[in-house]
Amino acid sequence: MDQRQSPFLLEIRDVTRRYTLPRESLFKPPAAVEALRGVSLNVTAGRSMGIVGESGSGKSTLARLVMALEAPTSGTVLFEGRNLHALPPDDLRAARRDFQMVFQDPYGSLDPRRPIWRTVAEPAAALEGASRAQQRDRAAAALESVGLRADALDKFPHEFSGGQRQRIAIARALITRPKLIVADEAVSALDVSVQAQVLNLMADLRDQHGVTFLFISHDLAVVSHLCADVAVMKGGLIVEQGPVRQVLREPAHAYTRTLLESVPELVAPVVA
């Protein structure tokens, strides 16, 4: 397909991912586990997508494939019509400006030895060769966009709360002005009140800057705050997908109903 004709920002086509386990015997072939078993998914620009499932369902494996941190065993991942895993290294490096990631742990994802401006500006330095002055200016603008003042530039991670550190991680993801941000359990390590603040921030970024999120979580209530669409994963498969309001109101699969029953109360979603 010509990338210009693709109607989707992200297309995942029949993707599988198999891992070979350590050999347990010299006389038997090593065992393998299938983390993904034929996953297909389309994400439209401007319509954030939630991926929901329990631990071991394949959510984080899918995130690594979308970020081109790992290659699928079979199938394709297309970003704006281009197969990420078939791109030459220089082309993939250039493409990474348009998709960034926010990780689960706001404590472990920031280098404790580096001032915040260097951490936030790292993608711009690595992918765009920005000068030191440009890096500081852009880091200040990114921090401001997530509600942190420019005087945070020269501080270190230990000087911030968990919620502030996750805001810093989001600022780092924003520095290259990406079209897609993959957020892998990005609020699960935070207190409930702080989760709400970070989710509201992401919703503001979605609405004001046109960022599309691929938001990965085990919690349907969290996904309902941010995403227009949702896909439910179980055992490496997507068992249900559709508009988030429809899936929450009329879940078609027994596993989705089980996930919903585990949520004490679903508040009104903040979706497009």
Side-chain angles (χ1 to χ4, degrees), residues 73-220:
T73 304
S74 63
T76 55
V77 178
L78 305 177
F79 184 82
E80 295 189 316
R82 294 182 295 172
N83 183 350
L84 291 180
H85 300 281
L87 290 177
D90 288 346
D91 290 349
L92 177 58
R93 180 185 178 90
R96 286 190 185 281
R97 288 195 295 265
D98 289 329
F99 54 92
Q100 293 290 317
M101 190 165 187
V102 177
F103 295 92
Q104 175 179 358
D105 183 6
Y107 301 95
S109 63
L110 305 177
D111 188 335
R113 300 164 297 180
R114 307 180 82 183
I116 291 304
W117 78 265
R118 290 190 62 190
T119 294
V120 171
E122 184 178 17
L127 299 175
E128 301 175 4
S131 69
R132 185 182 179 94
Q134 290 171 330
Q135 290 176 44
R136 282 187 66 91
D137 288 345
R138 289 178 60 177
L143 288 171
E144 184 178 356
S145 73
V146 299
L148 293 174
R149 297 186 305 183
D151 63 6
L153 286 172
D154 293 306
K155 294 181 179 180
F156 289 82
H158 71 270
E159 299 179 68
F160 298 91
S161 68
Q164 288 174 322
R165 293 185 202 194
Q166 200 61 299
R167 286 173 180 261
I168 291 166
I170 295 169
R172 178 174 57 187
L174 288 172
I175 197 78
T176 60
R177 304 178 184 90
K179 299 173 183 177
L180 176 73
I181 290 180
V182 178
D184 188 5
E185 296 282 8
V187 299
S188 64
L190 305 175
D191 293 338
V192 173
S193 60
V194 180
Q195 281 188 13
Q197 295 172 15
V198 174
L199 287 168
N200 287 335
L201 167 63
M202 290 181 172
D204 289 342
L205 295 171
R206 177 200 65 196
D207 297 339
Q208 296 173 16
H209 300 285
V211 179
T212 302
F213 286 90
L214 184 67
F215 192 88
I216 293 167
S217 178
H218 63 279
D219 190 334
L220 270 166

Side-chain angles (χ1 to χ4, degrees), residues 233-266:
M233 291 191 69
K234 182 178 189 294
L237 296 168
I238 291 178
V239 297
E240 182 168 0
Q241 61 180 295
V244 68
R245 293 180 187 273
Q246 176 184 320
V247 172
L248 293 180
R249 283 199 204 101
E250 302 175 359
H253 196 278
Y255 178 66
T256 309
R257 292 193 289 272
T258 299
L259 289 177
L260 283 169
E261 289 167 2
S262 70
V263 180
E265 181 180 0
L266 279 172

Side-chain angles (χ1 to χ4, degrees), residues 46-62:
R47 285 185 66 87
S48 293
M49 169 72 74
I51 308 292
V52 178
E54 296 174 314
S55 296
S57 62
K59 309 185 306 294
S60 293
T61 299
L62 186 63

